Amino acid sequence: MAAETTDLDELRDRAQRWLDDDPDPASRDELRAVLDGLPGSGPELADRFAGPLTFGTAGLRGPLRAGPNGMNLAVVTQAAAGLVGWLADQGGEGPLVIGYDARYGSRAFAERTAQVATGAGRPALLLPRPLPTPVLAFAVRHLGAVAGVMVTASHNPPQDNGYKVYLGAQLGGELGAGAQIVPPADAGIEAAIRAVGPLVKVPLGPAGKVLGDDLVAAYVERAAAVIDPSGRRDLKVAYTPLHGVGGAVLTAAFARAGFAVPGVVPDQAEPDPDFPTVNFPNPEEPGAVDRLVALARDRDTDLAIANDPDADRCAVAVPDGAGNWRMLRGDEVGALLADHLMRRGVTGLYATTIVSSSLLRAMCAARGLPFDETLTGFKWIVRAGGGSEPLVFGYEEALGYCVAPEHVRDKDGITAALSVAELAAGLKAQGRTLTDRLDELAAEFGVHHTDQLSVRVDDLREIAGMMARVRAATPETLLGHRVTEAKDLLPGADVVILRTDAARVVIRPSGTEPKLKAYLEVVEPVADGDVAAARTRAHAAVTTLRTEVSTALGL
């Protein structure tokens, strides 16, 4: 009992010190209410002070709440001060460009970042309004900025927000110009953030220069230029930005490229931080694109496209010929886009990640094109090959595609949507569809059937327990075949890879959500041109594989 009292007193003292330094009256009131609820609110207070948010796969990300283990004005002030200090220590010169989405707190966090930058004597350029993440990534390169910050939580639930950092060419090098940070920059920035003293001593300047719409116009023009100007444009598209910030930019890009403006899901067209029509604003989640499919069916469109709320991801749905629609997997869209670029004669490095399908590797091997495989995250994909070959295309199975690295060195849901539309319009002119092209690829390379086992948890210790279990009792067989490779990527990455001659499993914690993910793949040869039969066999095999992996994880 005495130990519990001591822990509670220590927590109370830490919270009071935080209150004394918190610049936001609203979050101070919020934390005082938690303190007033002690001792009953002890677990909540402990969670808020469990530790500071740290840079993960996509920078800082967490729930909007007071305390160091949340996204709030104090945490953002500290992060901005650390980043600006690190840039100065590295000798970085030039402006910091800052973008933000339409989530709660995003604009205030962006403006505070600009104030910290100008307070330190560094120019700050603020995007003109809530805009997609790829516009910020483009702006870092286009404006020659020393770095960029994007305030967004992408497709996380409404209660979250986040803070992504990009470096310009000066400190990131040519490969990392306009790309998300990687080691050792992330550790250096993290250390600089922890070294920031009292926030009351962080000097604040004006909120920087607000950029004009000419920047957005420049992005739209470059995006439209990604596709062939002589290509077909006869295509009807249904679209949703899922209450995010992609709608105006995507429709402008489609019009600039010569396509008919897509029909937009009416009650998801405008940014809304509550995301009222979906349980999770992620097009991969069940039910998230139901309204999109309904619109596509009602208008008899050729294609349905969804962006996630910050429009760096692109989801695609297609009619199946029997009056139904199905979502294409990220691996299917990745293969289609890669094949499309290859058929257009685009040579250079093609890259994906260790959790994506092995089909791209097979395509590159057959067509004599360089290929590389990286850890998950576009910060690694855009640096694939180490510069030995120019990257021309990269993708990851989580609906992220980079079709024009010289335009945006990150995943970009706008240019991906344009490229899918270009491919679909060309096939339509031949009386064919995206699924026809997928069947052609399967006939040539075999059916590469992928699926995912995703386990959402309330306590991150559950994920650690599942990873420990699979490491301690690694399966010796999968689908009746001997496991020929069991690779553990620790300490570099918390990933376990299992391979047989017929299947592959990759298990890892999510870098952005409280989930454990197991990525499943079965490759089934096509006999006598019967793709449908091979798909049926592959689907059955993946269903069995899912059960085996669930057992190995103790589910």
Side-chain angles (χ1 to χ4, degrees):
M1 184 69 176
E4 290 181 8
T5 302
T6 301
D7 290 344
L8 197 58
D9 288 341
E10 181 185 353
L11 269 176
R12 185 183 283 109
D13 290 344
R14 290 176 61 195
Q16 188 58 55
R17 290 194 298 272
W18 184 271
L19 276 171
D20 293 341
D21 201 32
D22 191 335
D24 184 3
S27 64
R28 290 200 302 269
D29 289 345
E30 178 189 324
L31 191 54
R32 284 194 189 98
V34 177
L35 284 170
D36 290 344
L38 291 175
S41 60
E44 180 184 350
L45 189 64
D47 188 40
R48 289 171 183 257
F49 284 82
L53 293 181
T54 56
F55 277 85
T57 302
L60 296 173
R61 193 174 293 186
L64 287 159
R65 61 180 183 179
N69 195 21
M71 284 295 296
N72 52 68
L73 203 62
V75 165
V76 167
T77 302
Q78 185 184 41
L83 171 62
V84 169
W86 182 84
L87 293 173
D89 290 343
Q90 300 301 307
E93 298 179 353
L96 177 68
V97 61
I98 305 155
Y100 58 100
D101 66 11
R103 285 176 178 267
Y104 289 115
S106 288
R107 180 165 184 164
F109 295 163
E111 290 176 343
R112 175 51 62 97
T113 300
Q115 288 179 303
V116 171
T118 59
R122 184 175 298 278
L125 307 175
L126 206 64
L127 296 194
R129 57 182 178 277
L131 286 164
T133 293
V135 176
L136 182 279
F138 166 78
V140 174
R141 292 172 67 90
H142 183 69
L143 300 173
V146 66
V149 168
M150 183 68 195
V151 182
T152 181
S154 189
H155 56 274
N156 274 40
Q159 64 268 24
D160 289 355
N161 213 325
Y163 199 84
K164 298 171 73 170
V165 177
Y166 296 75
L167 290 181
Q170 187 181 154
L171 297 180
E174 183 52 37
L175 281 182
Q180 296 178 53
I181 55 173
V182 294
D186 55 356
I189 295 170
E190 178 87 18
I193 291 170
R194 302 296 155 238
V196 173
L199 300 184
V200 294
K201 294 185 178 180
V202 174
L204 301 178
K209 176 185 177 182
V210 178
L211 297 167
D213 281 341
D214 55 333
L215 172 72
V216 183
Y219 169 84
V220 168
E221 182 178 356
R222 289 289 299 276
V226 164
I227 64 176
D228 186 346
S230 64
R232 300 284 186 157
R233 298 292 188 272
D234 178 22
L235 195 74
K236 291 177 63 178
V237 178
Y239 169 71
T240 179
L242 280 184
H243 300 295
V245 296
V249 178
L250 181 135
T251 53
F254 266 65
R256 182 73 175 81
F259 286 102
V261 173
V264 183
V265 176
D267 54 357
Q268 296 178 337
E270 296 300 320
D272 187 331
D274 289 318
F275 306 105
T277 67
V278 292
N279 291 326
F280 287 95
N282 180 350
E284 291 182 291
E285 294 285 346
V289 297
D290 286 356
R291 282 171 165 78
L292 172 66
V293 169
L295 178 67
R297 185 180 292 115
D298 181 61
R299 298 195 180 182
D300 192 26
T301 66
D302 302 300
L303 198 64
I305 292 174
N307 286 138
D308 67 338
D310 70 328
D312 63 352
R313 288 173 169 83
C314 175
V316 178
V318 295
D320 67 358
N324 299 313
W325 285 72
R326 79 171 182 94
M327 293 293 297
L328 298 183
R329 296 188 180 279
D331 283 317
E332 292 178 309
V333 176
L336 285 169
L337 289 175
D339 178 67
H340 178 53
L341 291 173
M342 292 174 187
R343 289 170 185 263
R344 280 180 49 186
V346 178
T347 58
L349 179 67
Y350 288 74
T352 189
T353 71
I354 58 173
V355 303
S356 300
S357 170
S358 59
L359 176 55
L360 181 57
R361 178 190 291 272
M363 291 165 60
C364 288
R367 297 171 184 179
L369 291 166
F371 169 83
D372 195 18
E373 191 175 77
T374 73
L375 294 174
T376 54
F378 263 82
K379 63 184 182 182
W380 300 117
I381 291 174
V382 298
R383 293 172 171 89
S388 58
E389 296 278 351
L391 179 71
V392 293
F393 174 74
Y395 94 92
E396 60 183 359
E397 53 73 43
L399 309 183
Y401 316 97
C402 178
V403 299
E406 75 288 351
H407 168 72
V408 170
R409 211 154 184 83
D410 198 7
K411 55 184 175 291
D412 182 349
I414 308 293
T415 52
L418 283 169
S419 298
V420 170
E422 177 186 39
L423 171 58
L427 289 170
K428 180 183 177 182
Q430 302 169 10
R432 299 161 66 230
T433 66
L434 295 179
T435 52
D436 292 332
R437 178 56 52 82
L438 284 171
D439 283 348
E440 291 176 7
L441 291 172
E444 184 176 359
F445 299 104
V447 171
H448 288 65
H449 187 79
T450 58
D451 202 353
Q452 187 180 124
L453 172 63
S454 182
V455 185
R456 185 178 290 271
V457 301
D458 295 322
D459 186 343
L460 294 179
R461 288 175 296 184
E462 296 178 54
I463 293 177
M466 287 184 280
M467 293 299 296
R469 180 185 177 96
V470 79
R471 286 185 166 107
T474 304
E476 296 182 358
T477 62
L478 292 170
L479 298 176
H481 296 253
R482 187 172 63 87
V483 172
T484 56
E485 180 183 25
K487 183 183 294 186
D488 189 343
L489 300 190
L490 279 178
D494 191 6
V495 178
V496 171
I497 302 174
L498 308 175
R499 296 182 193 273
T500 74
D501 57 0
R504 186 204 62 183
V505 176
V506 183
I507 306 169
R508 62 179 280 270
S510 169
T512 57
E513 298 178 89
K515 288 181 177 180
L516 180 78
K517 294 184 175 182
Y519 304 83
L520 318 175
E521 181 178 33
V522 169
V523 180
E524 185 69 36
V526 173
D528 301 321
D530 194 343
V531 172
R535 291 196 189 283
T536 298
R537 293 193 302 272
H539 185 273
V542 164
T543 299
T544 302
L545 184 61
R546 170 189 287 271
T547 300
E548 293 180 353
V549 173
S550 295
T551 301
L553 293 172
L555 299 177

